[in-house]
Amino acid sequence: MSTKEKILDVAERLFADHGFASTSLRDITAEADVNLAAVNYHFGSKIDLLKAVFARRFGPVNAERLERLDALEDPDTEQVLRAFFAPLFKRLREPGSGWAKFMQLVGSTHSDTNDEIRACMLEQIRVIAARFTETLAATLPELPPDVFSSRVHFVVGAMAHTFAFCRHKDMPLVHQLPEPDAILENLVDFAVAGMTAPVGNVVAPG
Amino acid sequence: MSTKEKILDVAERLFADHGFASTSLRDITAEADVNLAAVNYHFGSKIDLLKAVFARRFGPVNAERLERLDALEDPDTEQVLRAFFAPLFKRLREPGSGWAKFMQLVGSTHSDTNDEIRACMLEQIRVIAARFTETLAATLPELPPDVFSSRVHFVVGAMAHTFAFCRHKDMPLVHQLPEPDAILENLVDFAVAGMTAPVGNVVAPG
DNA sequence: GTCTATACGAAGATAGAC
DNA sequence: GTCTATCTTCGTATAGAC
């Protein structure tokens, strides 16, 4: 395995387990058994290494997402959501492939307050998110735009938190977490019900 | 204002805006116009400063949450969720009080991969979360335990992401975000629908 | 009791030798 | 391509002023 690939693999795992800011380049290069300066040579900087970690995996996932979305004719809310979630979830079935760690990293990065760090992931999903948001909105034509926006936020949050912690041990309050395929079904059930919920009391703006 | 309070205020804001790891004690003490060593004197360490930031605000919020929960007799799903969310949301109505920044910090810390950082917040809500999870489960007796667990994760994720980003400008995909009170109503509608959704296809474990 | 000045080791980044 | 040396900034610790 090349130095570059060794760094990518170890960085992905350590970023996911301890967070980007809390992981030092010395941790990565020591565990990958390469020289400290190799990171700067191959990737330029720590933040560019993070970008490379995201770019490597999002390519095939996003391609499959678009394929699934384009294959739908007159899609409903569930089909759109499933087309977005399934391509990532199905890769969890390959143990040892690193996809579980990657998903964990995606989830935590999605909620990172640091704009520069979050941008490394957002630049990978910006185009695809726009396509899916647009198509999803079309399945809910009667929903007020501000309610739709709020609910998309809620779905994104539910997804991100699930990605980040669905396999985490330190969850004393919520036990008995099911298998990846079952989590996907639970997430789709939940998100469809949330997106299509009746609109309750309207609060006047201002 | 005392040195201790100045440090707490500035730390809360900078941790919320840039993340805990990306904020240096020198950033904090420079903006608070106090000496660097004052942090170590008053709080002991950077992580203990974070704990103090959480402890200051969670006290009154959690007390009100328990009051509202105890006041309910034979509560339904919506009432339990509202008793948890409302005490924090209502404080957003006081502009300049720092509660919006605190909420942002709570949301991002909830999704932090670093166990030590997340523990600073979890220790503040552990007892209360157990009470609410237990009461919430009682309102959904027919829901399979693993589905309930998944859905609680989803609600927590929706909440955390909303806290962290509901006032953020860098959200090009989702516009027209409503006012705090409307976000609370939207969140309650969404979470109630998600928690009470019919259980779809059951996936065999393993 | 409070606060300040200052020093130490470790971190990320980078220039230049090989 | 790879590695050493070095720069700046970080969290932390300590001695002492008020």
Side-chain angles (χ1 to χ4, degrees), chain B residues 99-117:
Chain B
W99 279 100
K101 282 294 167 203
F102 175 71
M103 215 156 143
Q104 204 175 307
L105 178 62
V106 170
S108 65
T109 306
H110 217 111
S111 304
D112 202 300
T113 358
N114 189 291
D115 292 344
E116 200 179 0
I117 294 172

Side-chain angles (χ1 to χ4, degrees), chain B residues 140-199:
Chain B
L140 299 160
E142 72 289 347
L143 208 58
D146 61 328
V147 177
F148 174 77
S149 295
S150 283
R151 291 183 181 180
V152 170
H153 268 290
F154 301 150
V155 172
V156 168
M159 178 198 69
H161 192 257
T162 302
F163 283 7
F165 295 109
C166 68
R167 296 215 152 273
H168 204 280
K169 333 111 200 65
D170 181 34
M171 286 266 122
L173 308 172
V174 185
H175 323 277
Q176 296 177 279
L177 283 172
E179 291 302 302
D181 287 356
I183 293 179
L184 171 60
E185 295 308 312
N186 290 341
L187 178 58
V188 170
D189 287 347
F190 179 89
V192 169
M195 289 302 301
T196 60
V199 179

Side-chain angles (χ1 to χ4, degrees), chain B:
Chain B
M1 189 183 295
S2 71
T3 297
K4 198 169 177 175
E5 285 171 325
K6 281 197 288 186
I7 292 172
L8 278 173
D9 286 346
V10 174
E12 182 174 73
R13 181 162 43 83
L14 295 186
F15 287 161
D17 281 339
H18 310 297
F20 175 77
S22 300
T23 302
S24 72
L25 292 181
R26 285 167 175 84
D27 291 338
I28 296 169
T29 55
E31 195 151 329
D33 198 30
V34 300
N35 188 272
L36 170 64
V39 173
N40 216 270
Y41 172 74
H42 285 289
F43 301 98
S45 68
K46 190 186 179 187
I47 195 83
D48 286 325
L49 170 59
L50 181 64
K51 286 178 188 169
V53 167
F54 283 123
R56 179 171 64 151
R57 304 249 190 203
F58 265 123
V61 170
N62 285 344
E64 190 179 330
R65 280 169 165 169
L66 274 187
E67 274 176 33
R68 290 194 56 150
L69 188 67
D70 289 337
L72 300 173
E73 32 189 290
D74 191 26
D76 63 17
T77 304
E78 175 178 347
Q79 288 172 319
V80 177
L81 289 171
R82 198 178 286 278
F84 188 79
F85 293 137
L88 194 43
F89 269 96
K90 80 168 201 187
R91 286 171 168 82
L92 289 178
R93 296 185 201 130
E94 316 162 26
S97 62
W99 279 100
K101 282 294 167 203
F102 175 71
M103 215 156 143
Q104 204 175 307
L105 178 62
V106 170
S108 65
T109 306
H110 217 111
S111 304
D112 202 300
T113 358
N114 189 291
D115 292 344
E116 200 179 0
I117 294 172
R118 209 171 60 261
C120 295
M121 193 209 51
L122 290 180
E123 74 181 14
Q124 295 290 328
I125 61 165
R126 184 148 288 163
V127 174
I128 259 215
R131 276 286 317 271
F132 273 83
T133 304
E134 185 185 10
T135 311
L136 187 66
T139 70
L140 299 160
E142 72 289 347
L143 208 58
D146 61 328
V147 177
F148 174 77
S149 295
S150 283
R151 291 183 181 180
V152 170
H153 268 290
F154 301 150
V155 172
V156 168
M159 178 198 69
H161 192 257
T162 302
F163 283 7
F165 295 109
C166 68
R167 296 215 152 273
H168 204 280
K169 333 111 200 65
D170 181 34
M171 286 266 122
L173 308 172
V174 185
H175 323 277
Q176 296 177 279
L177 283 172
E179 291 302 302
D181 287 356
I183 293 179
L184 171 60
E185 295 308 312
N186 290 341
L187 178 58
V188 170
D189 287 347
F190 179 89
V192 169
M195 289 302 301
T196 60
V199 179
N201 300 326
V202 176
V203 177

Side-chain angles (χ1 to χ4, degrees), chain A residues 63-110:
Chain A
E64 190 178 330
R65 281 170 164 169
L66 275 187
E67 273 175 35
R68 290 194 56 150
L69 189 67
D70 289 338
L72 300 174
E73 35 188 290
D74 191 27
D76 63 18
T77 304
E78 176 179 345
Q79 288 171 319
V80 176
L81 289 171
R82 198 179 287 276
F84 188 79
F85 293 138
L88 195 44
F89 268 96
K90 79 168 200 185
R91 285 171 168 80
L92 288 177
R93 296 185 201 130
E94 316 161 26
S97 61
W99 279 100
K101 282 295 166 203
F102 175 72
M103 215 156 143
Q104 205 175 306
L105 177 62
V106 170
S108 65
T109 305
H110 216 111

Side-chain angles (χ1 to χ4, degrees), chain A residues 72-149:
Chain A
L72 300 174
E73 35 188 290
D74 191 27
D76 63 18
T77 304
E78 176 179 345
Q79 288 171 319
V80 176
L81 289 171
R82 198 179 287 276
F84 188 79
F85 293 138
L88 195 44
F89 268 96
K90 79 168 200 185
R91 285 171 168 80
L92 288 177
R93 296 185 201 130
E94 316 161 26
S97 61
W99 279 100
K101 282 295 166 203
F102 175 72
M103 215 156 143
Q104 205 175 306
L105 177 62
V106 170
S108 65
T109 305
H110 216 111
S111 304
D112 202 301
T113 359
N114 189 290
D115 292 344
E116 199 180 358
I117 294 173
R118 211 173 58 261
C120 295
M121 192 209 52
L122 290 182
E123 73 182 12
Q124 294 289 327
I125 61 165
R126 182 147 290 163
V127 174
I128 257 213
R131 275 286 317 270
F132 273 84
T133 305
E134 185 186 10
T135 311
L136 187 66
T139 71
L140 299 160
E142 72 288 348
L143 208 58
D146 61 328
V147 177
F148 174 77
S149 295

Side-chain angles (χ1 to χ4, degrees), chain A residues 24-26 40 46:
Chain A
S24 72
L25 292 181
R26 286 168 174 80
N40 216 269
K46 192 186 179 188

Side-chain angles (χ1 to χ4, degrees), chain A:
Chain A
M1 191 184 294
S2 70
T3 296
K4 197 168 178 177
E5 284 172 324
K6 281 198 289 188
I7 294 173
L8 277 173
D9 286 346
V10 174
E12 182 175 72
R13 181 161 43 84
L14 295 186
F15 287 161
D17 281 339
H18 311 296
F20 175 76
S22 299
T23 302
S24 72
L25 292 181
R26 286 168 174 80
D27 292 338
I28 296 169
T29 54
E31 196 152 327
D33 197 32
V34 300
N35 187 273
L36 169 63
V39 172
N40 216 269
Y41 173 73
H42 285 290
F43 300 99
S45 69
K46 192 186 179 188
I47 196 84
D48 287 325
L49 169 59
L50 181 64
K51 286 179 188 169
V53 167
F54 283 124
R56 180 170 66 152
R57 304 248 190 204
F58 264 124
V61 170
N62 285 344
E64 190 178 330
R65 281 170 164 169
L66 275 187
E67 273 175 35
R68 290 194 56 150
L69 189 67
D70 289 338
L72 300 174
E73 35 188 290
D74 191 27
D76 63 18
T77 304
E78 176 179 345
Q79 288 171 319
V80 176
L81 289 171
R82 198 179 287 276
F84 188 79
F85 293 138
L88 195 44
F89 268 96
K90 79 168 200 185
R91 285 171 168 80
L92 288 177
R93 296 185 201 130
E94 316 161 26
S97 61
W99 279 100
K101 282 295 166 203
F102 175 72
M103 215 156 143
Q104 205 175 306
L105 177 62
V106 170
S108 65
T109 305
H110 216 111
S111 304
D112 202 301
T113 359
N114 189 290
D115 292 344
E116 199 180 358
I117 294 173
R118 211 173 58 261
C120 295
M121 192 209 52
L122 290 182
E123 73 182 12
Q124 294 289 327
I125 61 165
R126 182 147 290 163
V127 174
I128 257 213
R131 275 286 317 270
F132 273 84
T133 305
E134 185 186 10
T135 311
L136 187 66
T139 71
L140 299 160
E142 72 288 348
L143 208 58
D146 61 328
V147 177
F148 174 77
S149 295
S150 283
R151 291 183 181 181
V152 169
H153 268 291
F154 302 150
V155 171
V156 168
M159 178 198 70
H161 192 258
T162 303
F163 282 7
F165 295 109
C166 68
R167 297 217 150 269
H168 204 279
K169 332 112 199 64
D170 182 34
M171 286 266 119
L173 307 173
V174 185
H175 322 277
Q176 297 177 276
L177 282 174
E179 292 300 302
D181 287 355
I183 294 178
L184 171 60
E185 295 307 313
N186 290 341
L187 179 57
V188 170
D189 288 347
F190 179 89
V192 169
M195 289 302 301
T196 59
V199 179
N201 300 326
V202 176
V203 176

